[in-house]
Amino acid sequence: MVFTGGGIILCILILSCLAPIAGDPCSVNMDERLSPPSFKHPFGTDQLGRDMLSRVLHGGRVSLIVAITISLLSMVVGCFVGAVSGYFGGVVDDVIGRIVDVFMSIPEIVLNIAMVGVFCAVYGVSTFIVIFAVVFTNWVGYARLMRGMVLSLKEREFVLCAKAIGAGEWYILFRHIIPNAAGPLIVLATLNIGNVIMTIASLGFLGLGIQPPIPEWGQILNSGKNYITTAPWISFFPGLFIALSVLGFNILGEGLNAES
Amino acid sequence: MYVVRRAVQAVITLLGVSLISFSLLYIFPGDPAEFILSIRYGYEPSAEDVARLREELGLNRPLVTQYLDWLSRALRGDFGMSWTEPKAVMPLILERAQASAELFLATFLISIFFAFVLGILSSIYRDRWIDHLTRMFSMLGISIPSFWLGLVLIWIFSVNFHLLPAFGCCGIKHLVLPVLTWSFSFMAIKTRFIRASVIEELSKEYIVTARSKGLAESAVVLRHALRNALIPIVTYLSMSVSHLIVGSIMVEVVFSWEGLGTLLVKSVFERDFPVVQALVFLSGVVMISVNLVVDLLYTVIDPRVKYGE
């Protein structure tokens, strides 16, 4: 499973890196608009005659970079909050626990949509707002995992040893406890990247994600919605790539989980 | 005792949710009053009009007072007036709720039924072809975006074969494609979980006892393993209300279903923030209540669970 999942991800990564070879994703050619897949344009062209292969591959770069950024940021925030909550316990743990409850009680996508909507009314649409909105809801999973890990790890002998030689609390937390939680964390992060790719694509599909001219899978898929009768390939290929990359991360995560 | 503690916890969470929903309007830049008037009249409102509306909406009061006022109204189902339509927010939401409920009920019933059937079959025939097939199918279900699947189904059944309507609402024919799309992903998550829970129960010692008594395999699985697996399954189902809400938004948008999901997206685009606020708050209320009810229901599902002892 690790190899299948990793293989799918690797293929998509390589294709995304090769994106520039497929040409400019934004060059408009009205003579070739809505042309079906052919040798010259393997994925066809869209309503402005832009090459879909190039758009989908460039979209892959955007989706992967944004998704990995969001996952890493959420991991940093979530791990810090969760570790502090589990390690220090008491009032800190209670307060953080209640905050986590609140975030668990609002469906992520609802809050994402609302936040992107409100922020965009203020600052105009930007990729940073999308990243911020998703990180804002996404850290919770990491915090929960980290808290649980810390609770069990802090009772172990090596922590006691570290205390015995006079190590400070934060030193123990960052040098001894957090590194030991790396295994489950990697599994969660792998599955999480898949989820985030899906979230970004969903927001893009609703018109609330990364905006044109930056090509993004969900947004391209949405732009093809109106041409579903005449040019189904516009929506088909970005969707296929979303499905494949999410599948890749899910299989890899599952495989890593089974092995650990 | 447990009941009281659990209820207090739910109330605190509800307050947190209300705080987030309320502050959504306060990140909004500029003056809501000015914004409402410019939508209502279509031109720049005069300073007196803005001042009058500010007074009317109570925007001049301290933030805490405004929050408490908003909360006490919200708890009674009063979210004020919509900014873009001459209507109160709550009737606007209730109007849409029925369409969403139709879609939701159909999907929920169908996918839960098939999830149980496939999950149980797959745990009984573990590592046989039916298990492999079910696992592959559920892996696809969680990975394929529902909005894409929806468009593919529209392309196949509406565009190519003219069998089913792609858009619009009401009537069995209109339900088929959205329900199919939505069930596929919803079912996938449930099937995986049911399979895992039943398999875990099947590895326990009482199952060996039940088998050694000579019970039929069907009785072992259905009466013993499944019954005990129900607790994690029901917890999981209650937690997955959020999956349902997510699905409803995407599926409703793809099929232009006039429900709550499309209302949320439409309100965000029209900057009708009281509606957005209300929907965020209400989705929180729904999730908190479902989780609370399920927690309290455990005593019914499993007589071993007795709280406060």
Side-chain angles (χ1 to χ4, degrees), chain A residues 98 104 122 232 236 250 254, chain B residues 9 29 143 148 155 192 284 287:
Chain A
R98 294 293 83 74
M104 300 268 299
V122 194
F236 181 78
N250 279 338
E254 192 115 307
Chain B
Q9 207 181 349
S143 304
W148 182 61
W155 185 71
R192 285 160 66 86
M287 283 185 59

Side-chain angles (χ1 to χ4, degrees), chain A residues 1 187 190-199 201-202 239-255 257, chain B residues 115 133-149 180-194 236 240 243-244 246-247 250:
Chain A
M1 274 181 105
V187 174
T190 313
L191 294 170
N192 187 241
I193 294 176
N195 282 339
V196 172
I197 292 179
M198 190 73 107
T199 305
S202 305
L240 186 69
F241 272 72
I242 301 171
L244 278 176
S245 44
V246 177
L247 189 70
F249 281 104
N250 279 338
I251 294 178
L252 179 65
E254 192 115 307
N257 194 21
Chain B
L133 208 67
T134 306
R135 285 165 69 187
M136 202 172 75
F137 165 81
S138 52
M139 192 49 120
L140 285 178
I142 56 170
S143 304
I144 291 179
S146 55
F147 45 94
W148 182 61
L149 182 64
L180 202 65
T181 308
W182 196 2
S183 302
F184 185 62
S185 62
F186 192 64
M187 212 162 97
I189 316 173
K190 309 292 157 284
T191 309
R192 285 160 66 86
F193 197 81
I194 292 171
Y236 188 72
S240 68
H243 293 150
L244 263 179
V246 177
M250 303 315 293

